Amino acid sequence: MNLTFFDQFMSPQILGIQLVVMSLLMPSIIFPTQNNRWLTNRFSTLQSWAIHTFTKQLMLPTNKKSRQWSIILTSLMAMLLTTNLLGLLPYTFTPTTQLSMNMGLAIPMWLSTVLMGLRNQPTMSLGHMLPEGTPTPLTPTLIVIETISLFIRPLALGVRLTANLTAGHLLIQLTSTATIALLPTMPTLSLLTMTILLLLTALELAVAMIQAYVFVLLLNLYLQENT
Amino acid sequence: MPQLNPNPWFLILSSAWLIYTLLLQPNIMSYMSMNKPTNKNKITNTNPWTWPWT
């Protein structure tokens, strides 16, 4: 059977063993376990500096009670960033292109922020449904719209990550196919397409990092709203 | 679109969550150090001294 362009997103398996588990294990290999020495090696120092800075920046606007979420959000960011960046290497599989993983991460996290808000401060959480300063006749319509936007959030969170990464990988595959196909007949055009490919790869690098960050940032925002 | 194939959905979801909670979170936790312990148990005897007015 012919290989279609979407076959790169099929979950790979050998003899029934799903290899997606291996690509999911990669982040924990890239972050080696720290020991308690005062001075570690350069790699560990850099990583711990990065993690500390990120956590500080992320949890600055939150209140004291929601600082418990810092480990959740930071490790989530580490996992998404690593899986996205590793997926840009040739012949690798990006598990974050799978809807199952992203929705599975987004829906429980969003739901937990909503439930936390409803449990601890129900009036405030329900009060978010009506922004301040709305004229009175608009109130019913606006409440309906805000409720719909609340329920769209987990879908948007999951699908945003999936779609961005899938589109990027697909574009890279398309332009590389075009470059190879044009090489024997029109080499100059093939060179131009290769330039586009290089620029696209740079864009994908940025997108990989940005999308991981946006996921975590939005979760942080939903957390701040509800605590 | 192969992402919509429901066959490996549960496996990907469950393995992602298990690896996230059981491997990554303890890993990142080892990077976040708690407050450094302060040594407040020692009582230092300070010998009082006077200015030598000369």
Side-chain angles (χ1 to χ4, degrees):
Chain A
M1 56 170 222
N2 280 333
L3 208 64
T4 66
F5 280 114
F6 278 105
D7 282 346
Q8 59 176 316
F9 301 119
M10 274 200 329
S11 175
Q13 52 175 355
I14 288 181
L15 298 174
I17 306 172
Q18 297 283 344
L19 296 174
V20 66
V21 184
M22 196 168 78
S23 44
L24 280 169
L25 284 170
M26 281 299 168
S28 45
I29 298 177
I30 294 217
F31 288 92
T33 332
Q34 279 280 63
N35 49 11
N36 285 328
R37 292 210 197 140
W38 192 265
L39 286 172
T40 47
N41 57 356
R42 223 172 292 173
F43 192 51
S44 292
T45 319
L46 260 174
Q47 278 187 346
S48 54
W49 169 82
I51 289 177
H52 279 247
T53 315
F54 178 76
T55 316
K56 247 194 302 187
Q57 279 291 320
L58 191 68
M59 305 310 275
L60 256 176
T62 55
N63 68 358
K64 228 161 190 198
K65 216 170 74 88
S66 54
R67 299 274 165 88
Q68 309 164 348
W69 277 70
S70 45
I71 181 68
I72 298 178
L73 293 176
T74 313
S75 48
L76 187 66
M77 170 72 179
M79 180 165 87
L80 290 177
L81 189 67
T82 322
T83 39
N84 289 352
L85 285 175
L86 281 176
L88 287 171
L89 298 169
Y91 289 109
T92 49
F93 178 68
T94 325
T96 35
T97 50
Q98 303 298 311
L99 256 181
S100 43
M101 172 170 161
N102 294 341
M103 296 299 280
L105 283 173
I107 294 185
M109 303 247 180
W110 163 84
L111 195 62
S112 49
T113 59
V114 166
L115 289 177
M116 252 175 76
L118 279 178
R119 180 131 184 203
N120 297 334
Q121 36 176 45
T123 323
M124 264 267 284
S125 299
L126 287 172
H128 280 303
M129 294 293 114
L130 189 66
E132 280 182 34
T134 52
T136 329
L138 268 176
T139 313
T141 331
L142 212 56
I143 292 187
V144 172
I145 293 177
E146 289 283 330
T147 318
I148 295 176
S149 86
L150 178 75
F151 281 101
I152 285 257
R153 276 181 185 175
L155 290 170
L157 210 55
V159 175
R160 184 186 299 115
L161 189 57
T162 315
N164 269 299
L165 282 155
T166 313
H169 283 260
L170 212 60
L171 270 172
I172 289 180
Q173 186 172 24
L174 282 168
T175 33
S176 52
T177 316
T179 316
I180 296 284
L182 286 171
L183 201 54
T185 48
M186 296 183 265
T188 335
L189 198 57
S190 172
L191 215 65
L192 259 155
T193 326
M194 196 166 100
T195 325
I196 297 182
L197 182 64
L198 289 169
L199 291 173
L200 250 175
T201 318
L203 178 70
E204 281 316 303
L205 262 167
V207 164
M209 297 191 277
I210 291 171
Q211 285 303 319
Y213 177 60
V214 160
F215 195 93
V216 174
L217 193 69
L218 279 173
L219 270 175
N220 191 19
L221 206 70
Y222 303 155
L223 184 68
Q224 286 172 41
E225 257 191 23
N226 282 315
T227 39
Chain B
M1 224 171 75
Q3 284 113 322
L4 297 174
N5 172 22
N7 205 359
W9 266 51
F10 183 65
L11 177 95
I12 297 179
L13 209 151
S14 51
S15 54
W17 265 103
L18 279 173
I19 291 175
Y20 169 62
T21 54
L22 299 176
L23 286 179
L24 257 179
Q25 284 200 355
N27 210 341
I28 303 281
M29 260 204 290
S30 72
Y31 279 94
M32 300 174 144
S33 56
M34 301 298 130
N35 284 332
K36 301 222 165 63
T38 55
N39 197 353
K40 284 194 177 148
N41 289 330
K42 277 204 203 129
I43 304 170
T44 52
N45 287 322
T46 51
N47 295 321
W49 53 282
T50 54
W51 284 102
W53 297 107
T54 48

